[in-house]
Amino acid sequence: MFKIRIYDPAMCCATGVCGPSVDPELTRVATAIFLLEKKNIDIARYNLGSEPQAFIDERKIQNLLNTKGTDALPAVMVDGEVKLAGRYPTNEEFAEWANLPVETLTKTETKSKGIELL
């Protein structure tokens, strides 16, 4: 089973998808995480502002912050190894790490009667 951990910079809420101006990149990442969770992928996300202990508990993230500072965030670990620092993964990277087709993380257009479900 794959284990993906995302270490976010300090944000106002758990996903960063809040406030008057939402960053589309954060929306994409939140959607990808939601879809991966639906596929039972072991994925978790930690916010430096509200969950600093997760950053302290993970030695490799702590070392990354000590050497590069908060510019290293977001950082992503896959199966205990730092895979990315300073940016979020693409949907292709998420799919590769989870051993899923990238289409799993692509929202498809569906015709509905006014209700759209993920």
Side-chain angles (χ1 to χ4, degrees), residues 5-11 14 44-66 69-77 88:
R5 298 295 180 259
I6 300 170
Y7 295 85
D8 286 312
M11 296 189 291
R45 188 174 187 184
Y46 305 105
N47 181 334
L48 181 59
S50 60
E51 301 164 289
Q53 192 62 46
F55 293 73
I56 294 167
D57 291 344
E58 180 49 64
R59 184 184 52 79
K60 291 178 182 177
I61 295 298
Q62 190 179 67
N63 289 342
L64 186 65
L65 288 172
N66 286 338
T70 56
D71 286 343
L73 301 178
V76 182
M77 291 187 68
Y88 287 103

Side-chain angles (χ1 to χ4, degrees), residues 10-54:
M11 296 189 291
C12 59
C13 64
T15 62
V17 182
C18 53
S21 176
V22 176
D23 180 350
E25 180 68 352
L26 292 174
T27 302
R28 181 193 62 80
V29 170
T31 300
I33 291 169
F34 172 78
L35 294 170
L36 288 169
E37 287 173 336
K38 283 180 65 173
K39 294 289 185 183
N40 295 319
I41 300 299
D42 184 1
I43 187 166
R45 188 174 187 184
Y46 305 105
N47 181 334
L48 181 59
S50 60
E51 301 164 289
Q53 192 62 46

